[in-house]
Amino acid sequence: MTTPEAAVTETSDADFAADVLAAGTPVLVMFTATWCGPCRQLKPVLAALAAEEAGRLRVVEIDVDRNPATTVRHGVLATPTLMVFRAGEPVKSLVGARPKRRLREELADVLD
């Protein structure tokens, strides 16, 4: 059995197209940074969501400091920024940490 933390994977500028844009299921990307407190608060929420929605939603994170090309390409100006990609296109963008119940409500249209 995998732990919830194992359900969230990390991607990079080099792997973003393969990991996110070419994915067969919707992908929730958290643009994060090691120094970002709200990002750390959001990690367990995303890990739980990834475990609960395995097969319907993939969750990945990308460090904005180590991967500036992807960060700039998608217009990310703040961390944490959550973007949902479906069929290679961004379909939803949320900025800031939030509790799991609220995040689920905001992602309902993507998960259905």
Side-chain angles (χ1 to χ4, degrees), residues 5-17:
E5 292 77 26
V8 178
T9 57
E10 192 169 336
T11 192
S12 65
D13 282 345
D15 298 329
F16 193 82

Side-chain angles (χ1 to χ4, degrees), residues 12-13 16 30-32 62-79 81 83:
S12 65
D13 282 345
F16 193 82
M30 177 170 71
F31 290 84
T32 186
I62 185 165
D63 186 289
V64 297
D65 293 325
R66 294 194 316 259
N67 301 283
T70 302
T71 303
V72 170
R73 186 178 313 118
H74 294 290
V76 174
L77 301 174
T79 55
T81 291
M83 292 183 94

